[in-house]
Amino acid sequence: MPTCRLASAMFHWDNGLKLTKAGLAIDFRRRQPRAFISHAHADHIARHEYALCTPETAALYQYRLGPRPTLPMPYRTPNQWGGLRLTTFPAGHCLGSAMLLAEDDQQSLLYTGDFKLGESATAAQAELPHADILVIESTFGRPDYRLPPRRQVLDQLFALVRETLNDGAVPVIQAYMLGKGQEVTRLLTAEGIPVLQHRDIFAVSQVYEACGVDLGRYECFTGKAVPGWAVVVPPRTGGTLEGLGRHVRIAVTGWAMDPRTKYRLKVDHALPLSDHADYDELFEAVARVAPRVIYCTHGPESFVDRLRDAGHDARPLGRSSQGRLF
Ligand SMILES: [Zn+2]
């Protein structure tokens, strides 16, 4: 490969995305000397020697992996680092979740990480700056993943929870322990429904509260139901629920768009409340960033074809990109 190409490469793939000039690994699951962490979900973190992330992500990362060296990058505050200008923007996915804008004199790259455009009760709403190169997380890159309006899903959730409580049973909502668990808690408590949280969710909620997110009236679940209170647990919680008596299980996940989800998760109801952009939001994100070229991660390859059909220069990014420069 000619040297001039090497000099202009913005990123390369080394079993994951790396910003070439800065030697900065992005969302790696294996330990790196220098890494950017878009958010603190388990599939985006490792015990890095040095991590760049928002202050909220740093708090959640350190809660999960213990005290570690980090460079706090508050939203919209440019940082000159490793020959690049780096700026984080809210990603709307969970507390602290960030997109990363990397710029040099010639070009700019926006890495979305996990994101959603719509509103959230516990995460700052996504902001997408323009970039020449867009690396987009496209989990729901299929046309059948068009989510119903959030208001409609929330009304369904509140109605189900109220019906269950009025019926003398316990509503048990299954939600990821970081992000969705706190989001559902905030939504329910704002409706006047107090929440008992599984201890793992409760522990993460303490970090949210320390970061200034008020989750309303909630307590740690000790295994006993309290009349009038909803229970929020992580997915696949079994034993803890035995002493609860009659209960109704409700999963909240974008995957609920697939009617089989309810059976797969062994719940009574599955509601499509998502922390990821749906199919239409992915296209909207692309329109807002107006990039020259798009690289898609974590999604179906068919999404790349749909972008190409719409006239974009789109390419998949993943295993097959190993060793290449971009
Ligand atoms: Zn995530």
Side-chain angles (χ1 to χ4, degrees):
M1 197 167 288
T3 334
C4 57
R5 178 79 199 278
L6 277 168
S8 66
M10 195 73 177
F11 71 94
H12 64 278
W13 192 264
D14 174 17
N15 272 325
L17 180 75
K18 277 190 178 168
L19 294 183
T20 308
K21 199 182 276 181
L24 186 67
I26 308 286
D27 276 347
F28 268 49
R29 292 189 71 178
R30 53 184 206 281
R31 184 183 173 90
Q32 297 293 313
R34 293 174 297 277
F36 170 74
I37 300 175
S38 68
H39 65 292
H41 278 155
D43 53 341
H44 293 257
I45 59 174
R47 289 185 165 78
H48 300 304
E49 287 167 37
Y50 194 60
L52 282 61
C53 54
T54 61
E56 296 83 1
T57 294
L60 291 162
Y61 169 60
Q62 298 188 350
Y63 157 72
R64 298 192 106 163
L65 300 181
R68 310 207 62 77
T70 56
L71 174 70
M73 292 182 66
Y75 295 134
R76 306 172 209 92
T77 311
N79 217 310
Q80 212 62 40
W81 202 86
L84 295 171
R85 187 176 135 104
L86 301 176
T87 316
T88 59
F89 291 89
H93 177 64
C94 65
L95 179 66
S97 65
M99 307 202 181
L100 180 67
L101 179 68
E103 300 163 282
D104 63 16
D105 325 336
Q106 278 138 35
Q107 52 192 339
S108 56
L109 176 149
L110 181 72
Y111 167 78
T112 65
D114 291 357
F115 78 100
K116 82 153 189 281
L117 297 186
E119 65 170 302
S120 158
T122 47
Q125 191 153 16
E127 290 171 27
L128 294 106
H130 162 73
D132 303 313
I133 304 165
L134 172 63
V135 178
I136 188 168
E137 180 265 333
S138 54
T139 301
F140 290 139
R142 277 188 228 284
D144 40 344
Y145 281 94
R146 285 189 165 102
L147 300 173
R150 177 176 161 95
R151 188 65 255 166
Q152 186 182 316
V153 179
L154 293 185
D155 286 346
Q156 251 179 303
L157 172 66
F158 300 148
L160 261 174
V161 168
R162 288 203 174 96
E163 266 167 40
T164 307
L165 289 171
N166 291 341
D167 197 31
V170 185
V172 177
I173 297 112
Q174 298 191 356
Y176 297 124
M177 70 173 209
L178 194 170
K180 195 68 71 66
Q182 289 72 33
E183 169 82 357
V184 166
T185 298
R186 173 71 273 193
L187 292 166
L188 289 172
T189 59
E191 284 291 302
I193 303 162
V195 168
L196 296 170
Q197 290 184 334
H198 183 279
R199 61 176 185 278
D200 293 344
I201 297 179
F202 185 78
V204 174
S205 296
Q206 303 317 293
V207 185
Y208 267 63
E209 294 265 357
C211 290
V213 181
D214 176 11
L215 297 179
R217 190 174 171 213
Y218 71 101
E219 285 176 17
C220 191
F221 177 54
T222 55
K224 274 207 185 101
V226 178
W229 288 58
V231 175
V232 178
V233 300
R236 285 176 282 278
T237 302
T240 344
L241 304 179
E242 273 161 22
L244 265 188
R246 210 153 53 83
H247 60 274
V248 174
R249 294 182 194 217
I250 306 159
V252 283
T253 167
W255 298 111
M257 289 309 289
D258 179 342
R260 291 166 300 186
T261 300
K262 176 173 135 171
Y263 306 102
R264 190 167 55 79
L265 299 178
K266 300 189 175 66
V267 293
D268 302 295
H269 306 273
L271 301 180
L273 188 66
S274 179
D275 287 334
H276 290 267
D278 73 352
Y279 187 75
D280 290 331
E281 284 192 357
L282 289 172
F283 273 92
E284 194 186 326
V286 167
R288 284 201 213 167
V289 177
R292 182 167 45 74
V293 53
I294 305 163
Y295 293 92
C296 302
T297 63
H298 292 108
E301 290 235 349
S302 59
F303 183 61
V304 175
D305 297 329
R306 297 294 80 76
L307 285 172
R308 285 177 182 163
D309 293 346
H312 296 287
D313 180 352
R315 304 159 198 192
L317 194 61
R319 260 181 247 285
S320 60
S321 315
Q322 188 57 27
R324 286 178 56 203
L325 291 154
F326 299 90

